[in-house]
Amino acid sequence: MAGAVCHNRYLNPTAQIIVLDAGGQYCHLIARKVRDLGVYAEVRASETAAVELAGAHGIIISGGPSSVYDSGSPTVDPAIFAVGAPVLGICYGQQLMAHILGGEVRKGVKGEYGLATLELEDTADPMFGGLGGKQQIWMNHRDAVGALPEGFRVTGRTDSCAVAAIAAPGRGLYGLQFHPEVVHTTRGQEFLANFVFRVCQCRKDWDPRHRVPAIEQEIRDTARNRSVFFFVSGGVDSSVAFALCARALGAGRVRGVYVDTGLMREGETDFVGRMANLTVEHAEDQFLGALAGVTDPEQKRHIIGEEFVRVQERIVESRHLMDEQWILGQGTIYPDTIESGGTAKAAVIKTHHNRVAGIQKLIAAGRIVEPLKSFYKDEVREVGRELGLPSELLDRHPFPGPGLAIRCLCSEFDAPVRATADGWVIPVNSVGVLGDARSYAPVLAIEALDHVRATELTNRLSGMNRVVAAVESKAPLAAMQIRACSLTPERIAKLRQADALVRRLSHEANYDRCVWQFPVILIPLGTAEAPESVVLRPVDSVDGMTAQSVPMDDALLRAMCGELLKLEGICGVFYDLTHKPPGTIEWE
Ligand code: GLN
């Protein structure tokens, strides 16, 4: 009965590593990465009393949006540094550890977001063993440790951060200013493995392959005797979640509904319509009507989420179904929750459509099932493969629930492009994630397709979270302006056309297989004759939590520009050079 023992352990394991949540975007990801190493880890509130952590083999303090000197900023019980279990502080966690133990934290002159190079002094210490030299790491901070607490030494630095790693090995205390838990820190898993196995001496007690039976059990527990209405978008998450519900409850108890919001890409409704067990609900006028005149991204996201709830209510009513017999299924994944501010101390980066008030109410009433809510995109794909779903479906690029609405930027004002010493400021705001907090700031355009320069600029300039390259245009930038506009069916149609064109060209060049996602964004920038511009945003990612802007072959880029500029009303083509952080993958 070895399998049964494992299964029980999956449902009832004891955590060897406890991750204390200081509100970081990647807090839950730290626990996942430790579990990927085969060691069970759990997240607890940062203030959890040291006595409650007595059995842990190791403690990790997460990052967070606050500054240690902010009033009410998250803290930890100082006694955790003396319970005997080693402690690793990551980002805010390092800053907090230094602050509590008598060191000093300072606001950096510059921020450090995204790509950075770490110089690690190779030491004999088990935490850093085998990890010397220069390494690609991922940063997301403005504050930094200025003075060390007694007994600590600096073990790593970057160009802009003199204290990128610290250690007091005798006391089992370590700090990293960068994020070992994100994939863009190339050897991040080795840092975590060193901490977990060599410093904390954990043993393997966890096998992530047992998740499918556990998810199915959870679905049955949530649904009880009720059936499920599943909102399916044709994307990876909702398709896998839908398949899990059908397996757990039997296909007869799960009904898939695809809503055509009028905000979908070209051909999408046809693609989804071919999937089995689905009904298509047309609601184009409803969604576009509710969005008329709206310019603010958070407002767009809230309206779209609430309209989904309206659709569900309408279906339930029109079919004379009883509330007690049906619950709603959604393909929510963990990044949706955390970016929507879904933990006690995390900042709202952007509210996902499946986390609006109407949905929260249904969650509170126990009327929502979300089988994948604690998983990341790469895990969802793995689960899908275990279920035998086709790769044609699983390897689709992610596409946001609110659809083209959040790729069609709006403006309340007419405003000119402004020249500065570093480039042109385009006065249209996009969302970013700076030091784990939300930012909403204008875009800087430069001439060169230069990623290194883009990182230098977003680190140095405050009030800026995104840099684009001006690739080709019908008019000089100085002659372009942002014009006041909202979401209209015409603008959505223009974006749909541009998106279809980019998708076709990147598919023909096999470029779509080299990138994780490739948003195409419409911004109201141009001249009277050609009032819009297109931004290309190809990125590389694994879980969507961090992303790297990736280059494109020049011939393909020129071909795209040529075709896009032939579209009526398109003035310019831009290329987004921004990593995540500081920018988010989507612009809104
Ligand atoms: N908010 C802090 C900073 O900006 C910590 C950031 C983090 O933990 N990601 O430095």
Side-chain angles (χ1 to χ4, degrees), residues 280-352:
V280 175
E281 189 74 19
H282 284 278
E284 294 91 327
D285 294 345
Q286 176 191 339
F287 279 80
L288 291 172
L291 288 165
V294 175
T295 55
D296 176 71
E298 273 298 287
Q299 219 186 330
K300 285 181 191 172
R301 288 175 164 276
H302 283 280
I303 289 172
I304 291 165
E306 296 300 346
E307 290 311 315
F308 272 109
V309 179
R310 296 294 89 71
V311 171
Q312 179 248 349
E313 287 168 354
R314 198 172 65 222
I315 297 175
V316 168
E317 228 166 83
S318 69
R319 300 193 190 158
H320 306 293
L321 303 168
M322 308 293 279
D323 263 7
E324 312 79 74
Q325 293 167 349
W326 289 90
I327 62 173
L328 189 65
Q330 301 195 115
T332 312
I333 59 174
Y334 190 74
D336 303 344
T337 308
I338 187 67
E339 292 185 350
S340 303
T343 62
K345 297 164 193 136
V348 178
I349 307 300
K350 49 193 184 185
T351 306
H352 287 257

Side-chain angles (χ1 to χ4, degrees), residues 63-67 90-92 95 140-144 177 179 435-436:
S66 310
S67 206
I90 297 177
C91 204
Y92 179 84
Q95 297 163 9
N140 191 12
H141 71 113
R142 186 161 199 108
D143 294 354
Q177 184 55 61
H179 292 274
D436 281 12

Side-chain angles (χ1 to χ4, degrees), residues 31-307:
R32 179 217 146 165
K33 288 303 173 82
V34 173
R35 290 197 294 259
D36 281 354
L37 293 168
V39 172
Y40 190 67
E42 262 178 18
V43 176
R44 302 269 169 82
S46 65
E47 287 85 4
T48 304
V51 287
E52 289 177 42
L53 303 177
H57 294 215
I59 297 166
I60 301 179
I61 311 171
S62 83
S66 310
S67 206
V68 290
Y69 296 114
D70 291 348
S71 69
S73 58
T75 188
V76 295
D77 177 353
I80 65 166
F81 299 112
V83 289
V87 182
L88 169 64
I90 297 177
C91 204
Y92 179 84
Q94 165 173 291
Q95 297 163 9
L96 183 64
M97 178 157 78
H99 174 64
I100 292 177
L101 297 176
E104 201 195 328
V105 177
R106 298 185 193 134
K107 182 133 297 272
V109 196
K110 292 189 205 173
E112 208 179 11
Y113 306 111
L115 182 66
T117 302
L118 176 76
E119 284 203 51
L120 191 67
E121 290 163 25
D122 200 356
T123 69
D125 189 76
M127 175 73 199
F128 303 103
L131 282 161
K134 281 189 202 276
Q135 293 179 35
Q136 172 177 311
I137 55 163
W138 221 244
M139 286 287 206
N140 191 12
H141 71 113
R142 186 161 199 108
D143 294 354
V145 174
L148 297 185
E150 222 181 277
F152 277 77
R153 60 196 167 75
V154 176
T155 50
R157 62 193 86 240
T158 72
D159 274 352
S160 16
C161 182
V163 188
I166 59 175
R171 294 156 70 190
L173 303 180
Y174 298 90
L176 302 174
Q177 184 55 61
F178 60 94
H179 292 274
E181 69 278 21
V182 309
V183 285
H184 287 96
T185 293
T186 316
R187 296 178 67 186
Q189 266 311 70
E190 290 172 60
F191 278 97
L192 288 179
N194 278 352
F195 180 70
V196 166
F197 296 116
R198 297 171 72 177
V199 177
C200 301
Q201 312 271 319
C202 291
R203 54 178 201 288
K204 293 199 177 186
D205 67 345
W206 177 253
D207 185 345
R209 280 172 311 179
H210 292 280
R211 62 192 152 199
V212 171
I215 299 171
E216 287 181 17
Q217 189 54 48
E218 211 183 309
I219 295 171
R220 284 190 286 271
D221 292 346
T222 310
R224 300 198 303 273
N225 54 355
R226 298 170 295 184
S227 297
V228 178
F229 254 120
F230 214 100
F231 273 143
V232 181
S233 69
V236 182
D237 308 334
S238 62
S239 303
V240 173
F242 181 54
L244 281 165
C245 282
R247 256 173 74 129
L249 304 173
R253 282 176 60 195
V254 186
R255 191 166 311 163
V257 184
Y258 166 86
V259 183
D260 190 338
T261 56
L263 302 166
M264 307 309 282
R265 299 169 131 185
E266 192 174 286
E268 198 61 21
T269 302
D270 292 341
F271 176 91
V272 181
R274 288 196 295 273
M275 287 166 62
N277 299 326
L278 271 192
T279 48
V280 175
E281 189 74 19
H282 284 278
E284 294 91 327
D285 294 345
Q286 176 191 339
F287 279 80
L288 291 172
L291 288 165
V294 175
T295 55
D296 176 71
E298 273 298 287
Q299 219 186 330
K300 285 181 191 172
R301 288 175 164 276
H302 283 280
I303 289 172
I304 291 165
E306 296 300 346
E307 290 311 315

